[in-house]
Amino acid sequence: MSGTEDILETARAWRAEGESVALATVVETWGSSPRPAGSRLAVTGSGRLAGSVSGGCIEGAVAEVAQGVMKSGTPQLLDFGITDERAWEVGLACGGKLKVFVEPLA
């Protein structure tokens, strides 16, 4: 991913190709966080990804929830928080917290 990638344009192009798409957006952070509020990850039903909301296993968890959101059509607000002791294990190296909103694109 480049720092200039337009996630919304990528998601729009995937929808134009007939893919189902979900968009995940970091809506709140607390403490140190790998990505700031407003960071986005687009996920398709076939498993393509663009952008990033965190990295580590949180990215995988968000992509998995996005698959369910595309199937159900129901948005979800995800809340990730981790103790400093487990931070490296789950990919939040600085031990911060974040909330990610996942929504299907119609």
Side-chain angles (χ1 to χ4, degrees):
M1 175 186 88
S2 75
T4 60
E5 186 176 12
D6 185 339
I7 304 306
L8 294 177
E9 178 56 29
T10 299
R12 187 207 59 77
W14 287 343
R15 286 287 299 148
E17 294 172 8
E19 286 265 23
S20 56
V21 179
L23 187 65
T25 305
V26 176
V27 294
E28 183 179 317
T29 65
W30 181 87
S32 296
S33 172
R35 303 282 186 266
S39 298
R40 291 187 169 121
L41 172 70
V43 180
T44 70
S46 65
R48 293 196 280 182
L49 304 173
S52 177
V53 291
S54 176
C57 72
I58 288 178
E59 205 98 315
V62 170
E64 186 174 315
V65 169
Q67 294 294 328
V69 164
M70 283 183 273
K71 290 177 183 164
S72 71
T74 304
Q76 288 192 35
L77 180 61
L78 309 176
D79 194 353
F80 296 98
I82 196 71
T83 63
D84 288 343
E85 292 77 23
R86 293 202 59 221
W88 282 105
E89 180 183 334
V90 299
L92 281 174
C94 301
K97 298 179 181 180
L98 69 151
K99 290 185 178 182
V100 179
F101 184 69
V102 184
E103 59 189 321
L105 294 184

